[in-house]
Amino acid sequence: MKHLHGTDGVRRIPSDRATRPVLSLRPLLIAVAAACTFLAIPALHAQNPRPTDYEVKAAYLYNFGRFVEWPEKAAANQGGPFTVCVFGQDPFGPSLDATLAGETIGGKTIIAKRISSAQESGDCQILFLSLTEASRLNKIIADLDKKAVLTVSDMPQFVKCGGMIQFVLEGKKVRFEVNLTATQHAGLTLSSELLKVATVVRRNPQPGD
Amino acid sequence: MPRNQQYSISKKITLMNVLVSAVALLLASGGFCAYDLYSFRAALISNVSVQAQIIGDNTVSALLFNDPHSAEMTLSALNANHNLTYAQIYTRDGQPFAGYWRDRAGEARPVPIIPSGQTQTHWFKDGQLGLARSIIFQGKSSGTVYICSDLGAMNDRLKSYGLIIVAVLFISLLAAFMVGLVINGFMGSLYSKLETGNRFMELSVDLFCVAGFDGFFKNLNPSFEKTLGFTTRDLMAKPYLEFIHPDDRPATVVEKAGLQEGKVTFAFENRYLCKDGSYKWLLWNAVSVSEKEAIYAVARDITERKQAEALLRESEERHRKLFDNNPHPTWVFDRETLRFLAVNAAAVRKYGYSRDEFLAMTLKDIRPPEDVPALLETVRALGDGNESSGAWRHRLKDGTVIDTENTSYALTFLGRPARVVVAVDVTQRKRDEAEKRKIMDSLAATNQELGLRNREVERATQMKSKFLASMSHELRTPLNAIVGFSDLLAGGTPGALNVKQKRFVDHIKQGSTHLLQLINDILDLSKIEAGQLELHTELFRVNDALPEVLSTIHPLAMAKNIRVEQKVQNKCLVKADRVRFKQILYNLLSNAVKFTPNGGRISIECVDDWDFVRVSVIDTGIGIRPEDQKLVFEEFRQVEGNAGDTQQGTGLGLAITKRLVEQQGGRISVESEFGKGSRFTFSLLAVEAGSAVPAVEELARASVTMASGRLTPLVLIVDDEAPSRELLASYLAPQYRVAMAESGARALKEAQCLRPDVITLDVMMPGSNGFETLAALRKNPVTVNIPVIILSIVDQKQVGFALGATDYLIKPVLKPALLDTIRRHVPSPADDDSSILLVDDDPKALELLEESLRSAGYETQAVRSGARALEVLANKVVGAILLDLLMPGMDGFQVIHHVRQEPAFRELPILVMTAKNLSHDEIALLNRETQGLMQKGGSWKEQLIAEVGRVVRGRGLAKSAGQP
């Protein structure tokens, strides 16, 4: 489980990065979330409270990156940082940045990028689709076809719709399902380790499975 | 090899074997074990580590994605390894994530701490291996795996090993033991073989060696060292040729070459150098083994043999020489054929036959024909007997017959039984012997004669001694009577004599005195010449011996108004016969008196001269002419004295004196000037001052100091006028002895010297008068107590008594008055009322004694035998005994013996008067047992009175002093 502590054990205060407002409500929500997170951090440290779902998911995103192999000619293997994109409304907030800060995947530094269109996903290795993009899911999936991008979302039916990894909640635990066909189609190799911990591993999932 | 030694060696070997095996085994096992266990452990760790790693790798995703179930699934795979008891996955926080329990599920243990910098850590605890490993995924730690494995496998392994080791050990022990037994047997035979060989080598007296072809010894047995003295090391250090005698080297080299070619050396001799520089002969046998390039040799020390051989040769040579050079004819003849087998040069020379002639002859040919039978007989009798000797006659070539003495003994010569004979020509010897016998016989005859003569001489000597002895007695006894009685007659004791009678008696007296003197002198002289004069040597001071002599001389000197002085050093101590000394002195003094005219002076000197004391008598006499001085000491020599000398000497005095002096080791000499005087000096052995002067001396001294005890009191008459002195003297004698002094000074001197019992002192004298003298006398401690009777014309009684006079008489003094006075102050002999017992077989002697003593105021009783004397003693108290020695029946000695037996008579004074020549022992006895010893004859009368007085008075004083 990824901790809020960095690899060197030094507590990092998540940097205060400005988030791009998309909806008027959203910024407020984010702000509140951020504020809550800000305020929560000391409280978290004092009691060591359990991380939030999205914190866990953020950690998972990172960890996914560690168990996935991108094809050689993909952008992932070229120069430049490892990019984790968030499409749609960012549910993570700074926690994502905080989680990714200082970490590396395959020797590359990781950055979090928030995008709002498929076109911007050119250099994304991992793309998290926010719940808000549920209506445009098919299109996005179509756009990303044959692109070496690991799609992750917590939309229900994500994997059935062609998404690669879908977050599910088992009780209080965050688990995930994996669409192997999709990953194979994208040219991504998933470690069996990852598959081991997935709750479901689908091959050729059909809509409605 | 003794069994136990052998046994112990094999036991040792076995033990060694076992020990070594065991040690090796244990070491090997231990080593392998340890290594095995070590690597097992490492393997185990590695194993577990790998498992942890695998587990870790396989649970990363479970950790990352929080799927404990997945992790548990992975962990369950550990079940395949039965040794793993527990495993646990921890999160990065150290929280237990998933666990595995082999046996039953338990609690999760706390996360082990992995030291920073390490990925993994392990430990062994409680029989378990615990291993913790960080789960690293892509360089990041995601958690910790902890696996516990038990060590069951290892323990099992250990157990197996233990069993194996024990088993192997046991087997090897057994094996070693078996081997030991085998070795034991093997050793036994091997060792004894070795030992035999070794011992053989070591103990052999012979020299064993191995030498190489290179000329060096390779191996030597101890005999080399023992024989040659060089150590084995020395011998092996140099080529052996160097030890060989130079003369033998060439031969040795040849032998060696032969050996190398394969020849054998047998009985080869050479000399080897010894450490002490000598050489020893060695006899060699050797063989070589060319493959080994070695020579095996044995040598024997034949030095002694060689020496023996040499000695034998020498001996033979010697014997040959001896035989041939024997100065006596020597030959060897065959016992059976009697033929000569060998002759020596002497035989050839003596007998005249040549050697060849001899060898053709037999013994018979050198015997006179008539002796041949005897010869044959002897030879037969001798047979095999060994040594024999005999006297024979031999005939020389020229026919001369000689006597020989043959010594022969048997031997084997050239294999034949033979005899060797040495024939000594004794012809001459026989003749010499005959000669000798004759001489011996004549000697024996001579000896016999001598013996006879000796016996005669002895008899003569014996007779001479007897003569002297009897002479002594026989001559003196009658003389004694003559002298004594004529004395008494002269003294008027039986009655007054008319002038003529007196004169006649005087003649008799003179004649008899002279005769007595002569006899005494002759006897003395013959005694001295016969060597029979016995001397009784003692130590005494000259001073002490003088008074007696002086007192005898005094009257004589006084008669001629000769002054006698003495200058005797008190330390004149001599070792001599006291009596003889007095005799010498008396002789010299009487001569001095004789030859000094009236008014002369005689002095006696005595000086200490180292070893000798020299006594001199100096007179102012007529002197002796030089030519006469030599003669004075000869017998019967007299020098003319003054005309009108009434006393003729015997001519023997000085001769005797000389002999007496010389017999005591002294010398006598005379210095004289004719007309002036003479000085006779004699020396006697001195004694160091401080030598013990015998107590007898002291006694004598004591009796001297008891002057006042002397009963014939001495009266010192002091008067400057001689007639007065004479008169007084005539009154006082014979009851009192008299000394004179003509002056006060003289009186003092005399008084100190003589210590008279009383002094009569004249007052009117020139020089110091009587009173002064008296005062002086009283002042002097020596003379202070002597009674002084003043005789003076003048009556000055008060003065006299005031000055200490004992009495005062007015001159002229009458005899009775004087005697009375003196008697009052000095008890006279007559006061003592003891009687004297006279014992003598000679009635004349008795009469003599009686008269003499009675006139001196003593009571006497005369008996004629010793037995009678004892009877009288039994009944009567006597004051003293006068005893003759030579009496028939009981002699004087027996009387003394009996008297002394009685306790009452122990102290009874006995005076012996004898004419006997006394031996030393007799004198000693008498000295012991009696109080006085007087010789009959001589001036015995005064001496007698004095002696009697001394002993009786002494006893009286002793009595008054309270002694018995």
Side-chain angles (χ1 to χ4, degrees), chain A residues 62 66 103 175 193 196, chain B residues 58 61 67 137-138 140:
Chain A
Y62 163 64
R66 296 164 82 183
E103 306 293 353
R175 312 303 301 274
E193 295 291 309
K196 231 166 47 179
Chain B
N58 282 318
S61 55
D67 186 0
F137 180 66
Q138 289 176 353
K140 284 165 55 150

Side-chain angles (χ1 to χ4, degrees), chain B residues 279-317:
Chain B
Y279 281 92
K280 283 208 157 103
W281 279 98
L282 298 178
L283 180 70
W284 292 92
N285 293 336
V287 295
S288 71
V289 178
S290 38
E291 307 87 66
K292 295 222 187 253
E293 293 203 342
I295 299 168
Y296 292 83
V298 58
R300 182 161 294 180
D301 183 357
I302 54 164
T303 317
E304 277 177 30
R305 194 182 79 186
K306 287 259 176 210
Q307 282 171 354
E309 283 172 9
L311 281 171
L312 188 64
R313 263 197 304 273
E314 241 182 290
S315 166
E316 277 173 9
E317 194 51 44

Side-chain angles (χ1 to χ4, degrees), chain B residues 579-743:
Chain B
V579 172
R580 298 297 170 192
F581 174 80
K582 287 195 271 198
Q583 194 176 349
I584 294 164
L585 208 48
Y586 177 79
N587 194 285
L588 293 175
L589 283 169
S590 64
N591 275 357
V593 168
K594 218 185 299 180
F595 290 101
T596 305
N598 286 28
R601 198 178 66 238
I602 298 174
S603 58
I604 307 158
E605 281 177 8
C606 176
V607 292
D608 235 332
D609 183 14
W610 291 109
D611 294 333
F612 291 100
V613 166
R614 290 192 206 287
V615 182
S616 308
V617 174
I618 308 130
D619 66 51
T620 55
I622 56 170
I624 309 170
R625 272 186 278 259
E627 54 266 28
D628 293 330
Q629 280 175 26
K630 293 191 270 285
L631 307 171
V632 281
F633 292 108
E634 285 185 24
E635 291 132 3
F636 300 115
R637 283 270 189 214
Q638 285 193 69
V639 176
E640 279 179 21
N642 285 339
D645 242 10
T646 47
Q647 276 181 316
Q648 281 286 317
T650 54
L652 289 173
L654 280 174
I656 293 171
T657 307
K658 179 165 185 270
R659 277 179 182 64
L660 284 174
V661 167
E662 284 173 356
Q663 195 161 354
Q664 296 187 73
R667 284 275 171 278
I668 188 163
S669 62
V670 60
E671 296 155 36
S672 180
E673 208 181 314
F674 189 70
K676 288 264 185 74
S678 321
R679 185 196 176 97
F680 281 84
T681 310
F682 68 95
S683 59
L684 287 173
L685 286 171
V687 178
E688 287 141 27
S691 302
V693 179
V696 176
E697 259 285 51
E698 294 308 313
L699 217 75
R701 273 196 167 278
S703 60
V704 166
T705 52
M706 280 201 335
S708 52
R710 217 184 315 215
L711 248 190
T712 310
L714 178 66
V715 182
L716 176 64
I717 301 170
V718 185
D719 199 317
D720 61 318
E721 288 170 31
S724 311
R725 292 202 300 272
E726 293 291 335
L727 188 61
L728 286 176
S730 69
Y731 288 167
L732 293 170
Q735 284 190 28
Y736 300 95
R737 284 180 299 131
V738 155
M740 301 206 193
E742 68 275 5
S743 70

